[in-house]
Amino acid sequence: LVAGILAAIISLLLPNIYTATTRVLPPQQGASAASALLNQLGGSLLLGIAGGSGTGLRNPNDLYMGMLKSRTVADNLIERFELRKVYDKDTVTDARKTLVGYTKIASGRDGIITIELDDKDPGRAAAIANGYVEELYKLTSSLAITEASQRRLFYENQLKQAREQLARA
């Protein structure tokens, strides 16, 4: 009886924690320019984005999950939602650790990535969970732009070499 009363008192004193859930269906392999770019870049960038593990990527969801868990996405969210103030942390590193502790990113067998975020404020929880999706979109878009820039530079270099060879001929 005492344990039940104590548990009831503690549960009433604890703040409410709200969980926001966002689901993402990543594009299938080869369906996006970013996927094609990441397939072409090889292991070093993929390992860097996926957290440096040498296990390799089993499917495209692993790549997107690695991107969602990346430092870039976390730092952008911390800056965007001013999470250093919210979490009362002095450094970005401490705020990042707190954000990672409140976030769960998992991939289901159906190929859908689920992002769950816990927060005391339901509006902020939903905004940050949706922010993960927006940051993923920005990151994949920037990788696609980088791919286009690299292709342009490659073709410009090839054109320059061809013109030089033609001039010599």
Side-chain angles (χ1 to χ4, degrees), residues 89-106:
K89 301 295 180 183
D90 294 330
T91 63
V92 175
T93 303
D94 292 338
R96 188 180 317 115
K97 288 177 184 176
T98 304
L99 177 64
V100 168
Y102 290 152
T103 305
K104 180 183 174 191
I105 300 172

Side-chain angles (χ1 to χ4, degrees), residues 18-24 68 73 77 80-81 83 87 99 102-105 113-119 121-136:
Y18 300 93
T19 301
T21 303
T22 303
R23 290 183 171 83
V24 180
L68 284 166
V73 169
L77 290 171
R80 180 173 162 187
F81 294 103
L83 295 180
Y87 297 148
L99 177 64
Y102 290 152
T103 305
K104 180 183 174 191
I105 300 172
I113 297 174
T114 303
I115 304 164
E116 293 180 353
L117 187 106
D118 297 333
D119 200 291
D121 179 11
R124 183 173 51 231
I128 295 172
N130 290 328
Y132 268 102
V133 177
E134 294 165 5
E135 292 299 327
L136 176 65

Side-chain angles (χ1 to χ4, degrees), residues 17 21 27 30 40 48 51-52 60 62 66 75 82 84 86 98 115 121 128 130 132 136 139 157-158 161-163:
I17 301 294
T21 303
Q40 292 174 2
D62 293 340
D75 288 350
E82 299 177 352
R84 283 179 53 198
V86 171
T98 304
I115 304 164
D121 179 11
I128 295 172
N130 290 328
Y132 268 102
L136 176 65
L139 186 58
N157 188 25
Q158 292 295 317
Q161 288 177 0
R163 284 182 181 160

